[in-house]
Amino acid sequence: MMRKYLIAGNWKMNKNASESVALVKELVQAAGKQSDVGVVVCPPFTSLASVSEALADSTIEMGAQNMYFEKSGAFTGEISPEMLRHLRTSYVILGHSERRAIFGETDALISKKVVAALANSLKPILCVGETLAEREGGKTLSVVETQVKGGLQDVSADDADRVVVAYEPVWAIGTGKTATPEMAQEVHAAIRGMLTALWGAEAAQKVRILYGGSMNAANADALLAQTDIDGGLIGGASLQSHSFVQIVESARKLS
Ligand code: 13P
């Protein structure tokens, strides 16, 4: 089955509101009309309102980098799914390795966020991936399986086409070290197998599995050409329009 490629930029804690709008205007100019490839930008919370406005007449969609699962209330510093929807947010990154490692997010918490996202018409981008020590210890697939099953335990097959999984080996994030296309494909195929076990083959074929970790204009072609790599979650290379648009172009050529 043909899954539409999805290229998402995770800006992390970069770009104030004015810088965000400047970047998004360049992206709209270069890639804001095409619809062969899904394109998503995930700016910091403080830029969501202005980025949303700047994207209004384009095909580029917006994602958030995190959220809390509750509707509203005494949760100082948190952002609700409804607040994101109000700003026309379409996607939300959940369980990024930086949230797991620095902020102590567990699979149980991430699972609640995934459920809340879907209930509020937000498409979750569930991030999974092993550390270097886990890979060297031969634990890659068991770690990824725990994260996939843990994050999606309360999601039904009916929602499969709205779920995105991002495989981001922690050792490849921001390090310049990329998994080879073959290494990445091996894990992506295994994730597809886990989703098949969870939801059945038809639903599993609908899920887009993105690769993340030092993906850039130079290595995107080879990664995106792999059978089970359906797009990218791009950090550093999404902070400049030139490199991000080149990755979008790689996906378009393969579409
Ligand atoms: P880099 O592309 O900077 O390695 O970051 C990847 C990432 O963490 C995207 O979520």
Side-chain angles (χ1 to χ4, degrees):
M1 102 166 248
M2 263 311 267
R3 290 176 293 270
K4 186 162 150 179
Y5 280 107
L6 183 66
I7 304 296
N10 175 8
W11 298 0
K12 308 193 179 183
M13 197 172 73
N14 295 291
K15 309 275 179 196
N16 65 28
S18 332
E19 292 163 345
S20 297
V21 169
L23 173 54
V24 133
K25 283 189 172 160
E26 290 177 16
L27 295 178
V28 167
Q29 183 86 31
K33 293 280 178 244
Q34 67 80 38
S35 53
D36 305 337
V37 173
V39 180
V40 178
V41 290
C42 305
F45 288 136
T46 46
S47 299
L48 289 174
S50 48
V51 164
S52 175
E53 246 174 69
L55 289 176
D57 296 320
S58 85
T59 53
I60 301 175
E61 294 181 280
M62 187 172 75
Q65 299 175 17
N66 182 30
M67 61 166 213
Y68 199 51
F69 61 85
E70 293 282 4
K71 276 193 172 65
S72 62
F75 304 102
T76 301
E78 294 296 325
I79 299 288
S80 76
E82 190 277 332
M83 291 168 184
L84 297 180
R85 277 307 304 164
H86 183 71
L87 293 175
R88 296 181 297 279
T89 308
S90 307
Y91 289 83
V92 59
I93 298 171
L94 295 173
H96 191 279
S97 64
E98 287 147 21
R99 301 241 30 112
R100 294 176 190 262
I102 306 170
F103 303 101
E105 291 202 8
T106 61
D107 289 322
L109 174 68
I110 295 160
S111 159
K112 287 185 182 167
K113 294 185 178 194
V114 169
V115 169
L118 290 167
N120 286 277
S121 304
L122 291 162
K123 294 179 193 146
I125 302 176
L126 171 67
C127 300
V128 300
E130 82 288 1
T131 62
L132 186 58
E134 288 162 345
R135 175 161 281 266
E136 287 175 344
K139 296 191 189 126
T140 298
L141 295 185
S142 67
V143 166
V144 167
E145 182 164 26
T146 302
Q147 294 172 338
V148 167
K149 282 191 181 162
L152 299 177
Q153 59 191 351
D154 293 323
V155 177
S156 81
D158 296 342
D159 283 325
D161 56 346
R162 299 198 292 136
V163 169
V164 179
V165 176
Y167 170 57
E168 301 204 305
V170 178
W171 49 269
I173 296 178
T175 58
K177 284 188 210 157
T178 323
T180 63
E182 295 73 26
M183 277 161 84
Q185 166 59 25
E186 188 188 347
V187 181
H188 280 235
I191 293 173
R192 186 90 56 207
M194 295 165 202
L195 297 171
T196 303
L198 204 59
W199 294 330
E202 197 187 330
Q205 286 299 322
K206 295 181 184 164
V207 179
R208 281 174 298 180
I209 308 176
L210 315 184
Y211 171 79
S214 298
M215 193 164 175
N216 58 38
N219 60 30
D221 280 351
L223 285 161
L224 293 171
Q226 300 294 315
T227 317
D228 289 291
I229 301 187
D230 307 313
L233 184 54
I234 326 293
S238 73
L239 295 174
Q240 278 168 352
S241 60
H242 180 68
S243 43
F244 189 63
V245 168
Q246 271 186 282
I247 299 171
V248 173
E249 283 305 313
S250 291
R252 273 185 84 176
K253 273 187 293 169
L254 290 163
S255 295

